[in-house]
Amino acid sequence: MQAFKAALRIVMNHPVYLLVYVGFLSLMGVFITSSINVGAGGTEYTASKAPFAVIDRDGSPLSESLTAFLSQQGESVEVADDPFALQDAVATGQARYLLIVPEGYGDDFMDAARTGSAEPVLESAFSYGTMAGTLVDEQVNQYLGLVRAAAALEPDAAVASVLARADEAAAASAEVETVQTPNGAAPADQFAFYLQWGTYTMTAAVVVCVGLLMSAFNRTDLYRRNLISPMSSLRLGMQKAAASLLVTALVWAITCGIGLAAFGSSLAGVPPAAIALTLACAFVFALVPLTIGFLLGQLGASEMMANAVGNISGMVMSFLGGAWISIELMGPEIQMVSRFIPTSWYTDAVSKGVHLTDMTLASVAPVLGDMGIVLLFAAALFAVALVAGRVRMRSSEAGGNAAASMNGA
């Protein structure tokens, strides 16, 4: 097992690859996945209440009624009527919305509403951090619209009567019921998205590590010595393959382990067998970058080439396979191309796996079908790698038959 131990030692002597391609990219996947909002699982609806401040320089019944209405919709914040205090409240987020009612606004507004003339303008400021200020501004416009409509219907009515009708209309609310759509996002989709993002992690890490392992054995002097050594090429190849498979399993275990640690709680309603099947899907996909790295080794690619191919192929396969953006959102041309990318079948298998509720043959068959297609991609790449290695073994660069014929000439 000398070649096996040497191959593992080569990989372990370059820990930066495992740290960056496995650790850093997996943590990036956790960060991105955590920002995705999925079904919360609750049935309670709570209206958003944003902090606001009203500077009432008018003191009219309209301004007081408007302030009372906003107090029911949000959280009132006391702010001093000072230019610096007003700017500081908005800039620091103390108040998401600041409303200034100028002197004489109430009388001017009621006159304009009754006569249909131009209305006076309120001064307002929004916090740039969120869209909460826009929501409060819409609520202000909603209430003023009710007052305007009530005043227009009864031009001769008293201000108190107009405001009472507006308050009655504003108090009306619709009953809210939350529902979970059949195809809507569920908590388990967080783990599914993490595994789908992991296509880039596993592709880059496995291709680079396996490519590094193979490139060390592909140095011309070492390659020629191995050809004439007592160890058969089959035995040498099996030991390198075993080391490559162990490295692949290590990358898969770390990637999935980080995902389970971060999002394992989201799988509470998923059967353990379904979770195991989903993890098996990830391992089957990891065989694809394994065969890519093996192919690079058979072609005699350098360490730098393995890094380039690992990163580029990881990004291309992840994007075209729907790991980052849903395939349904892409154009028909991209959707057609994605069927020739193993990632698309893998993402479909993971999405179906985390939504399994019973482990019958009929429910598991689509997932197994996707896994089989991914295995076919890996087998095809492996066959190409074997042919490439056989051709290279006979080349003059490797010192094979072509070199012997050249020397004989």
Side-chain angles (χ1 to χ4, degrees), residues 6-16 18 212 246-247 250:
L8 292 181
R9 191 160 51 247
I10 291 170
V11 176
M12 295 306 163
N13 287 339
H14 296 77
V16 66
L18 293 174
L212 171 68
L246 181 59
V247 170
L250 178 64

Side-chain angles (χ1 to χ4, degrees), residues 132-379:
T134 304
L135 173 62
V136 180
D137 190 61
E138 288 296 326
Q139 292 170 342
V140 170
N141 294 330
Q142 172 193 355
Y143 183 78
L144 293 178
L146 294 175
V147 175
R148 184 189 313 113
L153 288 174
E154 297 182 14
D156 298 329
V159 174
S161 176
V162 171
L163 295 178
R165 293 193 61 176
D167 291 337
E168 182 181 358
S173 61
E175 184 178 351
V176 178
E177 179 183 359
T178 59
V179 295
Q180 183 71 36
T181 59
N183 297 324
D189 285 318
Q190 275 195 318
F191 184 67
F193 180 82
Y194 171 81
L195 289 183
Q196 292 168 352
W197 161 269
T199 55
Y200 176 47
T201 302
M202 289 189 289
T203 300
V206 173
V207 169
V208 171
C209 290
V210 173
L212 171 68
L213 183 156
M214 297 292 292
S215 65
F217 284 90
N218 282 334
R219 295 201 310 267
T220 303
D221 53 345
L222 181 60
Y223 190 82
R224 289 175 177 175
R225 284 201 300 269
N226 287 333
L227 286 177
I228 62 174
S229 67
M231 181 182 297
S232 65
S233 58
L234 176 61
R235 185 179 176 185
L236 175 62
M238 291 296 294
Q239 293 191 29
K240 290 192 294 183
S244 300
L245 184 60
L246 181 59
V247 170
T248 302
L250 178 64
V251 172
W252 165 80
I254 295 176
T255 303
C256 295
I258 293 176
L260 287 173
F263 308 107
S265 59
S266 66
L267 300 173
V270 182
I275 299 175
L277 181 63
T278 305
L279 295 176
C281 292
F283 183 78
V284 168
F285 175 80
L287 298 179
V288 175
L290 170 61
T291 55
I292 295 176
F294 182 69
L295 174 61
L296 292 176
Q298 294 291 83
L299 295 175
S302 64
E303 179 181 345
M304 183 179 299
M305 180 64 71
N307 274 275
V309 173
N311 280 279
I312 295 174
S313 61
M315 288 187 288
V316 171
M317 289 172 59
S318 298
F319 176 76
L320 294 181
W324 294 347
I325 301 176
S326 177
I327 297 178
E328 285 74 14
L329 300 179
M330 301 181 184
E333 298 82 5
I334 301 298
Q335 293 184 22
M336 183 180 64
V337 172
S338 69
R339 310 311 291 174
F340 298 92
I341 304 295
T343 315
S344 64
W345 301 96
Y346 165 71
T347 55
D348 185 63
V350 170
S351 297
K352 293 175 180 176
V354 297
H355 288 101
L356 290 175
T357 56
D358 56 339
M359 300 299 292
T360 62
L361 181 60
S363 61
V364 173
V367 180
L368 295 178
D370 290 338
M371 292 175 63
I373 295 176
V374 176
L375 276 175
L376 289 177
F377 276 101

